[in-house]
Amino acid sequence: MALLITDECINCDVCEPECPNQAISQGEEIYEINPNLCTECVGHYDTPQCVEVCPVNCIITHPNVTESHEQLLAKYHALITGAERAPQE
């Protein structure tokens, strides 16, 4: 599962640098997570680092992107090997 930043985001800028996959970027109003790059930190850390540092707890499991731990790990391996990335939905 990818993660999603809700509209409760206060644009505090702490999540973006914590993402090892560079999946977080500033959107039009709040930060956004690219589900094609988000592995919930699988392959890097035991827990999603953006969730760990978020002061308002506005990062949730994306309701429309369901992935198993194995799928997240496969995505991680594809990202680190430079495999072709799918466009953001």
Side-chain angles (χ1 to χ4, degrees):
M1 296 159 273
L3 298 173
L4 175 73
I5 299 175
T6 68
D7 60 2
E8 295 168 351
C9 175
I10 59 171
N11 290 311
C12 67
D13 303 319
V14 298
C15 63
E16 183 182 22
E18 295 300 318
C19 181
N21 296 329
Q22 299 178 328
I24 301 174
S25 62
Q26 179 65 49
E28 286 187 33
E29 295 183 24
I30 61 173
Y31 278 89
E32 298 176 347
I33 298 176
N34 180 337
N36 294 316
L37 299 177
C38 179
T39 63
E40 293 189 35
C41 290
V42 168
H44 294 281
Y45 302 102
D46 292 333
T47 59
Q49 297 302 286
C50 59
V51 173
E52 293 288 325
V53 299
C54 181
V56 293
N57 299 318
C58 68
I59 303 173
I60 62 171
T61 301
H62 198 302
N64 300 326
V65 182
T66 304
E67 297 169 297
S68 68
H69 181 81
E70 291 76 22
Q71 289 170 313
L72 291 170
L73 190 57
K75 186 192 302 184
Y76 160 76
H77 286 296
L79 290 171
I80 65 169
T81 60
E84 197 66 31
R85 296 180 183 165
Q88 184 176 359
E89 295 175 13

